[in-house]
Amino acid sequence: MDYMALALSLAKLAQGQVSPNPAVGAVIVNQDVIVGQGYTQPPGGDHAEIVALKQAGESARGSSMYVTLEPHCHQGRTPPCTQAIISAGINEVHFSIFDPNPRVSGKGQAELHAAGITTYVGEMAAEATELNEAFIKYITTGLPFVTVKFASSLDGKIATRTGDSKWVTGELARKRVQHLRYISDAVMTGANTVIADDPRLTVRLADKGGITHKQPLRVIIDGLGRTPPQSRIFKEPGKTLVVTGTALADTTREALQNAGAELIELPSQDGIIDLKSLLQILGQKEITSIMVEAGGILIGSLFDNRLVDKVVAFLAPMIIGGEEARPAVAGKGADVLAQCTRLKQIQVERIGEDIMVSGYVVR
């Protein structure tokens, strides 16, 4: 049996629900028998290694542990996992990747070595890295990982010239979007999308793995304060943050706050918000991952400012056509092809009649 693959599948049960901590899975094996397994619990709860050790009990002595991330060796919200591993009598520890935090990377392994525990590093490292790509960026830069998602026709349109956009893609693709929200700390959109579509931007999935999922923070970019206070987005479970310009009228501010919105006022030029400053603020709020579900203007601005880390595009087998039809990405764009945003590590997947293409922005 592939024990590290099992540990990764366990880690996925915690993905997006334990932020700002990483999603980690752990499996303990003694004489080819799994005696303990677990995954990270919400902040303040046990880490994956501790869940697995508690389940294993005395059977952990003389065993091997498979864990998707280097065990941490410092006192945070919870005690260090390395000491628990040592005390349990584990013989060897296999972990996929080192802790990306430069202040602790390698120190967990060193502490295990000092206690006579053999370590093996690198098994399924690519999968473990992708699983915690948001945590890795956040812990090394203080900024959230930004994924842009859009659903378009084959000719790159997200709506007709009249604004009709429901639905470009099929039901299976829309269910995949629900999962993308589920694993994100925040979902970002623009005021134009709220006005045109009145979206909910909530996770509507059954609970997974015993963790009652939290709703992502909804972030509305609204430099001119045009978001209707009666929008559905304010009536849904979870919190909504409206980011406006500093010249917001008192009556507008009061109406949005009465609707339940938290407000952040940032400098803006002609209603355009400083998105770089916003990402810094969201990072300070321990938002590690953002999925952008917006129109071409906001998405284009994010690309123009080189703030996008990953793209997930759903392509529907249709041609909308028309010069006035709405493009998936607007903004200034590139003057020459050499300036285009290019993607790497491309993945292509058929989802019903639609195609999902994803990849990471080349820096």
Side-chain angles (χ1 to χ4, degrees):
M1 183 174 184
D2 192 333
Y3 299 119
M4 191 62 78
L6 175 58
L8 280 165
S9 68
L10 288 166
K12 289 178 181 178
L13 295 174
Q15 194 177 19
Q17 305 303 298
V18 297
S19 180
N21 293 333
V24 180
V27 176
I28 300 174
V29 182
N30 200 332
Q31 296 182 353
D32 294 326
V33 176
I34 295 174
V35 294
Q37 54 187 317
Y39 51 86
T40 311
Q41 299 301 295
D46 289 336
H47 288 194
E49 300 95 318
I50 305 303
V51 176
L53 286 169
K54 286 182 175 178
Q55 187 179 111
E58 283 301 312
S59 297
R61 195 160 301 278
S63 66
S64 300
M65 174 180 282
Y66 295 79
V67 61
T68 56
L69 183 70
E70 177 186 18
H72 87 290
C73 57
H74 64 286
Q75 177 69 47
R77 289 186 176 94
T78 59
C81 291
T82 48
Q83 288 302 310
I85 292 170
I86 294 167
S87 298
I90 299 283
N91 274 357
E92 59 183 37
V93 174
H94 302 245
F95 62 89
S96 296
I97 57 175
F98 285 99
D99 189 320
N101 188 335
R103 296 177 298 176
V104 300
S105 183
K107 294 181 180 178
Q109 183 190 44
E111 194 165 300
L112 295 174
H113 278 176
I117 297 174
T118 304
T119 61
Y120 301 89
V121 187
E123 189 176 347
M124 302 191 76
E127 294 86 347
T129 298
E130 181 179 359
L131 182 73
N132 276 305
E133 59 196 10
F135 171 75
I136 292 170
K137 180 188 179 184
Y138 173 75
I139 203 65
T140 54
T141 68
L143 297 173
F145 186 91
V146 178
T147 299
V148 162
K149 185 279 301 181
F150 60 82
S152 76
S153 60
L154 290 179
D155 56 338
K157 309 297 185 181
I158 60 173
T160 67
R161 59 184 174 81
T162 64
D164 185 25
S165 63
K166 292 186 178 180
W167 296 97
V168 173
T169 53
E171 184 179 353
L172 290 177
R174 297 197 296 274
K175 284 184 178 179
R176 180 62 65 89
V177 172
Q178 286 287 311
H179 174 72
L180 292 174
R181 289 179 190 170
Y182 175 83
I183 64 174
S184 300
D185 288 348
V187 177
M188 180 183 290
T189 195
N192 287 339
T193 298
V194 176
I195 292 169
D197 298 338
D198 197 17
R200 291 188 280 176
L201 298 184
T202 52
V203 175
R204 298 182 292 279
L205 293 173
D207 291 344
K208 292 189 174 184
I211 294 180
T212 301
H213 65 71
K214 60 183 176 65
Q215 292 293 338
L217 174 70
R218 298 180 290 271
V219 181
I220 304 173
I221 309 301
D222 184 6
L224 299 174
R226 298 182 300 117
T227 301
Q230 67 273 19
S231 300
R232 284 199 303 179
I233 208 166
F234 297 119
K235 299 178 176 67
E236 296 294 329
K239 297 180 179 180
T240 302
L241 177 68
V242 179
V243 185
T244 71
T246 53
L248 196 66
D250 290 341
T251 52
T252 303
R253 183 184 297 106
E254 184 177 352
L256 289 171
Q257 288 175 331
N258 288 340
E262 177 186 349
L263 296 183
I264 290 181
E265 298 182 32
L266 288 174
S268 63
Q269 186 172 3
D270 298 326
I272 305 300
I273 294 293
D274 183 349
L275 295 173
K276 292 181 180 178
S277 296
L278 174 60
L279 290 186
Q280 291 174 344
I281 291 171
L282 292 176
Q284 292 167 4
K285 289 178 172 287
E286 296 189 326
I287 298 297
T288 68
S289 58
I290 300 171
M291 186 173 73
V292 181
E293 294 189 63
I297 295 175
L298 176 54
I299 289 178
S301 183
L302 288 163
F303 276 111
D304 287 345
N305 285 282
R306 301 187 179 279
L307 300 176
V308 180
D309 296 297
K310 187 176 185 178
V311 175
V312 179
F314 294 89
L315 303 178
M318 66 170 68
I319 305 296
I320 292 177
E323 292 183 0
E324 297 178 4
R326 298 177 185 175
V329 183
K332 179 181 177 182
D335 293 324
V336 294
L337 288 179
Q339 298 175 349
C340 289
T341 300
R342 295 189 179 275
L343 304 181
K344 61 182 179 180
Q345 296 172 245
I346 306 300
Q347 295 185 28
V348 180
E349 181 181 347
R350 176 82 176 265
I351 302 179
E353 293 186 348
D354 305 311
I355 296 173
M356 185 182 80
V357 180
S358 63
Y360 298 87
V361 172
V362 176
R363 298 299 181 195

